[in-house]
Amino acid sequence: MTSHIDLAQRLIQRAARNAPGALAARLEEEWLADLAARSGTLARLRLAIGCWWATGVITRDFAVPQVATSGGRAGARALLGEVRADFPILSRRTLTFLLIAGFHLLLIYALASGLAQRGATSLPQISPAVVTQEIRPQRPTPPQVDIHIKSPVIPTTQQDLRRIADFDLRPQDEPATAVPTGPEITATDPPQPPVIQRIQGGPGKGFPNTDDFYPSASRRLAETGATTVQVCVDAEGRLSGDPIIARSSGIRRLDDGALNLAKAGSGHYRPSTENGRPVSSCYPYRIRFSLHD
Amino acid sequence: MGKKSSDVRMSLQTLRVLEAFLENPTAELAGSDVQKRGQLASGTLYPILLRLETAGWFVSRWETIDPARVGRPRRRLYRLTPSGLARASEVFASFGRGVPA
């Protein structure tokens, strides 16, 4: 408890002693009295620190004479008394600040004007390091070889293969010698895929008659046309899926009749054959509806 | 009277100090009293009090008490001078804030 009061008192006393002359004693007593009126550690320390700040401001205020009325001048004289006589124009703090600022300005000027660089160049020159070249025993360089590729020919025949292998790898100063061709390469034709003879199927024996599926309405309206139907037929001649219209006749009724006919023909289709063997396949065929006299 | 407010720079903190005194123009206030009323930091308050005293707005004196008997040190008391009161009134009138009676 007393430690912070002592600290605050010491701070105030030291701050007041830095104040101008005759004001020092007055400010010290005044501030210590105000310190006694304060309660709380923080408030007392704040007051003490504030007194330090106030000392600086007061010092500056009384270093530069204030513009005051005649009454104000009289008050200042009464306050300061003999203080002005021994109070320097520049306080120690101001002088220190000016010295530091001047040093920095000088340093900045030196850097900007290149004085520092000139100073650096005036230093004795360090002799550059001598780099000696390491001499290594010369190895015999191989003779220069020219590589000429005559043409990018895809080897398809024996003659082409020999032409591709005909690189000129001889050294320029070396007489031409016969290039060993190695074992003879015989080009062979790629194996041909086996030929499959495919015969497409279609309506076979016992396939229903087209007229039986001619829509009666179309017959009355004399609608004629051809519908192409796509069917998938197994090896037995049966439909393996529902037939679909591959190309319409343009008349819905005729297309429906064609689909009915294609479905009814299941089991009577002639399956497609591959090399004579029946296989499952899908194929289109056309159904024509026409009126007979 | 001559110059009035040009004697002292009229900062916000200075106005707060004057306002604290104008609440009761005849009252004498210590620095700690002004600080409480004006909510000012001590580093700001004391230079203002000294400026105003130097400029003739305030007069100050030591409190006439017996510290040994009262149990506390004597305080420095500030009071508005008649000219200081007139100047302060003019300052506040110019700001349109009015002056306390």
Side-chain angles (χ1 to χ4, degrees):
Chain A
M1 179 68 181
T2 55
S3 63
H4 75 264
I5 295 177
D6 291 343
L7 176 64
Q9 281 180 347
R10 280 200 299 272
L11 283 172
I12 286 174
Q13 284 165 350
R14 295 195 67 173
R17 283 171 199 159
N18 290 328
L23 281 174
R26 172 195 153 172
L27 290 176
E28 181 179 346
E29 188 175 357
E30 181 180 355
W31 289 345
L32 287 174
D34 285 347
L35 178 69
R38 294 285 184 103
S39 59
T41 306
L42 193 63
R44 286 180 175 133
L45 289 175
R46 282 181 63 189
L47 174 67
I49 294 169
C51 289
W52 270 93
W53 181 263
T55 302
V57 177
I58 290 167
T59 302
R60 281 198 301 275
D61 281 354
F62 287 95
V64 179
Q66 287 188 330
V67 177
T69 59
S70 57
R73 287 182 190 279
R77 279 195 295 271
L79 268 178
L80 294 173
E82 72 284 359
V83 172
R84 285 200 184 279
D86 57 359
F87 189 67
I89 293 174
L90 296 175
S91 67
R92 191 173 58 186
R93 188 176 299 177
T94 308
L95 276 173
T96 307
F97 172 77
L98 288 176
L99 281 173
I100 293 171
F103 174 74
H104 281 85
L105 285 174
L106 188 66
L107 191 64
I108 291 169
Y109 173 74
L111 290 172
S113 63
L115 286 176
Q117 191 178 3
R118 281 200 289 275
T121 54
S122 65
L123 292 172
Q125 293 290 326
I126 301 170
S127 60
V130 178
V131 179
T132 56
Q133 187 176 5
E134 184 182 0
I135 300 171
R136 294 182 177 178
Q138 292 288 330
R139 292 179 183 173
T141 54
Q144 199 171 0
V145 175
D146 288 340
I147 298 175
H148 300 289
I149 298 174
K150 298 237 172 149
S151 62
V153 179
I154 300 170
T156 54
T157 63
Q158 185 176 356
Q159 186 180 3
D160 290 339
L161 287 170
R162 283 179 179 160
R163 192 164 53 196
I164 287 296
D166 188 16
F167 293 155
D168 188 4
L169 296 174
R170 298 188 305 269
Q172 284 181 334
D173 52 350
E174 198 172 291
T177 56
V179 177
T181 56
E184 213 171 70
I185 300 170
T186 304
T188 57
D189 294 332
Q192 293 293 329
V195 178
I196 298 172
Q197 191 175 6
R198 183 186 180 89
I199 299 173
Q200 185 177 301
K205 192 176 180 180
F207 198 80
N209 194 346
T210 305
D211 289 339
D212 295 339
F213 290 87
Y214 204 135
S216 57
S218 295
R219 199 184 290 275
R220 283 197 302 272
L221 293 169
E223 292 173 343
T224 61
T227 302
T228 303
V229 180
Q230 171 89 7
V231 291
C232 291
V233 179
D234 62 12
E236 306 296 329
R238 291 188 296 265
L239 289 175
S240 56
D242 289 336
I244 57 172
I245 301 294
R247 184 174 181 180
S248 172
S249 64
I251 300 169
R252 176 69 178 273
R253 281 184 290 270
L254 294 179
D255 291 343
D256 290 342
L259 285 175
N260 290 335
L261 172 62
K263 287 177 187 173
S266 180
H268 301 286
Y269 283 95
R270 178 168 40 83
S272 300
T273 58
E274 288 179 358
N275 293 334
R277 189 169 59 90
V279 293
S280 297
S281 66
C282 296
Y283 54 85
Y285 72 97
R286 193 161 64 169
I287 300 171
R288 177 177 294 278
F289 293 101
S290 58
L291 294 170
H292 305 288
D293 292 333
Chain B
M1 293 286 174
K3 292 179 183 179
K4 307 299 191 281
S5 59
S6 61
D7 298 347
V8 177
R9 189 168 65 90
M10 279 300 135
S11 63
L12 179 64
Q13 289 80 9
T14 306
L15 291 172
R16 282 186 182 172
V17 171
L18 290 174
E19 197 173 32
F21 278 92
L22 286 172
E23 287 178 9
N24 184 0
T26 58
E28 290 181 307
L29 300 175
S32 56
D33 300 327
V34 182
Q35 195 169 9
K36 286 175 189 170
R37 296 185 187 190
Q39 296 293 313
L40 291 164
S42 54
T44 307
L45 172 66
Y46 293 110
I48 290 173
L49 288 174
L50 277 177
R51 281 180 209 143
L52 289 170
E53 187 181 357
T54 306
W57 294 52
F58 290 162
V59 288
S60 67
R61 67 174 181 88
W62 288 112
E63 197 177 17
T64 52
I65 58 164
D66 182 5
R69 194 167 63 82
V70 180
R72 63 171 175 81
R74 59 177 185 169
R75 301 180 302 166
R76 188 81 179 180
L77 299 176
Y78 294 85
R79 180 175 56 83
L80 272 172
T81 61
S83 64
L85 174 61
R87 292 177 200 172
S89 301
E90 284 186 20
V91 168
F92 279 95
S94 68
F95 286 127
R97 292 179 56 181
V99 181

